Amino acid sequence: VSELKAKIQEGNLTLELLEQLRVEFLGKSGKLTQLMPLIKTLPADEKPSFGKWINDAKVEMESLIQTEKNELLKKELELQLSKESIDVSAPGYEFKTGTLHPLSLIVEDLEDYFIGQGFNVAEGPELEQDLYNFEMMNLGVGHPAREMHDSFYITETELMRTHTSPVQARYMLKSEGKPIAIISPGKTYRRDPDDATHSHQFMQCEGLVIGKDINFAHLKETLLQMARHLFGPDREIRLRPSYFPFTEPSVEVDVMFTKKDGSKRWIEVLGAGMVHPEVLRMGGYDAKEVSGFAFGIGVERIAMLKYNIDDIRNFYTNDLRFLSQFKGE
Ligand code: PHE
């Protein structure tokens, strides 16, 4: 015991050296353990006191070692704590979150608004069949208005859709004569050279309502309320006669904007009209029983007006300095 005590008091111990000491004294062939067999050689009356002595020594040594071990562990922890430090005044890490694309903001806003009016949101494929994109929109083969849409044909009968109107045809066929109120946002494609106001890939949001006694006043009020939702409560709209093969009558819709110098001007934002009887018929509806209106909004145009953007290419060049300005509302 005193030998062990002396060794511990010498200091300079580490946890490993202490373990070595434990083995040296108390291990299987340790100094104390080796004394144990001697008990057999002793006369019977000395055995108990020898046993007690051995046992006391063992307990004392174990406690010496345990105390020293605790001491060493404590020192180790203190050392570690003194080496490490936390600077509570250091600035935190910045978590970079993305932002919604401005066109997504407009589309989500339109969806929310029209869902609130009882509309459904419908989707259609971007790679579309000539049948839906043109034919069922009353643009038969050879129709001169097909040329208004310079298209990307992929095969003889398939093209990248030139507008979201084919979703009208698909939805009518699916609805089998039942009333309809949908909007359908999505990507569209035209073979135009890209410049500040043209993009070969752009977005539209279609609207279609079909039911009994749907008339032009419904269309006009729907568009007025939408314009006010998008651009402010006192906004005025103006309808100009126009032509689309799939609507009759057709209109182009202007919204009033006030320029910085206070002057007012009308800016065209969408095309619309009463669904052409031929389109209803091809969609499986009886034009004598029901009527409908449709509209097609240019999503970029809305975003450019709303956010004061003067070049459509900003939407498609993925410049983070541009995109990160749109945090949503
Ligand atoms: N599809 C037309 C276009 O691309 C827009 C439109 C949709 C017009 C629905 C009338 C009705 O220009």
Side-chain angles (χ1 to χ4, degrees):
V1 173
S2 51
E3 188 184 344
L4 176 63
K5 221 183 231 172
K7 290 215 168 155
I8 287 176
Q9 273 162 2
E10 268 173 32
N12 292 332
L13 278 180
T14 63
L15 284 167
E16 277 147 54
L17 290 173
L18 185 67
E19 174 62 13
Q20 276 174 26
L21 277 183
R22 193 190 62 80
V23 173
E24 184 183 336
F25 287 87
L26 296 170
K28 263 199 186 115
S29 44
K31 287 181 173 160
L32 186 69
T33 322
Q34 275 171 357
L35 294 177
M36 287 183 186
L38 291 178
I39 198 166
K40 285 182 243 149
T41 67
L42 293 173
D45 60 338
E46 283 180 27
K47 277 183 186 170
S49 59
F50 180 77
K52 186 173 179 317
W53 178 79
I54 288 272
N55 203 49
D56 287 350
K58 187 173 171 224
V59 169
E60 196 178 343
M61 282 176 166
E62 276 171 353
S63 114
L64 276 172
I65 289 173
Q66 192 55 50
T67 313
E68 181 63 14
K69 190 170 176 184
N70 289 344
E71 205 57 35
L72 286 174
L73 283 172
K74 207 170 111 192
K75 275 194 198 133
E76 194 167 278
L77 182 66
E78 273 164 10
L79 186 68
Q80 201 179 354
L81 285 176
S82 71
K83 268 196 290 192
E84 291 172 5
S85 67
I86 296 173
D87 180 357
V88 291
S89 69
Y93 295 104
E94 184 188 355
F95 288 97
K96 292 224 161 135
T97 53
T99 52
L100 282 179
H101 194 279
L103 297 177
S104 302
L105 290 174
I106 300 291
V107 167
E108 288 194 358
D109 184 33
L110 285 170
E111 287 179 352
D112 280 352
Y113 174 74
F114 277 105
I115 287 170
Q117 311 279 322
F119 284 58
N120 280 332
V121 178
E123 279 183 22
E126 289 169 32
L127 176 58
E128 186 54 285
Q129 293 168 37
D130 185 292
L131 174 69
Y132 298 112
N133 194 83
F134 289 133
E135 211 119 329
M136 287 193 63
M137 286 293 106
N138 205 25
L139 282 131
V141 176
H143 194 296
R146 277 196 181 206
E147 278 156 37
M148 281 158 55
H149 296 197
D150 282 320
S151 354
F152 292 109
Y153 270 88
I154 305 299
T155 68
E156 286 271 303
T157 56
E158 289 171 308
L159 71 160
M160 301 311 289
R161 66 179 177 189
T162 58
H163 50 179
T164 43
S165 298
V167 183
Q168 287 190 36
R170 289 176 171 273
Y171 207 87
M172 279 187 236
L173 291 178
K174 210 173 77 175
S175 302
E176 299 177 320
K178 290 197 276 293
I180 292 176
I182 55 157
I183 59 161
S184 182
K187 294 196 184 91
T188 46
Y189 302 82
R190 286 189 202 174
R191 205 154 37 79
D192 282 326
D194 292 351
D195 62 28
T197 55
H198 294 84
S199 170
H200 65 282
Q201 182 213 294
F202 57 107
M203 285 193 86
Q204 287 191 336
C205 182
E206 196 79 6
L208 174 68
V209 173
I210 295 178
K212 225 174 160 22
D213 299 327
I214 297 292
N215 63 41
F216 199 87
H218 296 132
L219 170 62
K220 195 177 165 191
E221 189 65 12
T222 301
L223 297 175
L224 176 63
Q225 295 308 328
M226 179 185 72
R228 291 182 172 178
H229 170 76
L230 286 171
F231 298 114
D234 302 323
R235 206 54 69 138
E236 292 301 328
I237 63 170
R238 176 175 82 171
L239 308 187
R240 279 179 292 107
S242 184
Y243 172 75
F244 299 104
F246 30 91
T247 47
E248 180 60 33
S250 303
V251 290
E252 264 160 341
V253 181
D254 301 338
V255 176
M256 170 73 87
F257 285 87
T258 309
K259 288 205 275 189
K260 278 205 192 86
D261 63 10
S263 66
K264 298 192 184 301
R265 66 179 178 137
W266 294 104
I267 295 179
E268 185 193 326
V269 297
L270 60 93
M274 301 307 292
V275 180
H276 195 290
E278 265 304 290
V279 173
L280 285 173
R281 190 188 60 74
M282 286 186 275
Y285 286 77
D286 183 347
K288 287 195 210 73
E289 288 294 318
V290 295
S291 49
F293 66 76
F295 55 86
I297 309 166
V299 178
E300 283 83 357
R301 176 55 77 83
I302 302 289
M304 288 168 86
L305 289 168
K306 195 161 167 164
Y307 298 124
N308 249 319
I309 296 162
D310 57 11
D311 192 325
I312 196 172
R313 288 168 291 199
N314 283 319
F315 295 121
Y316 295 107
T317 40
N318 290 334
D319 185 336
L320 285 178
R321 289 169 302 180
F322 171 76
L323 294 174
S324 62
Q325 295 175 65
F326 301 93
K327 305 271 187 221
E329 283 137 297

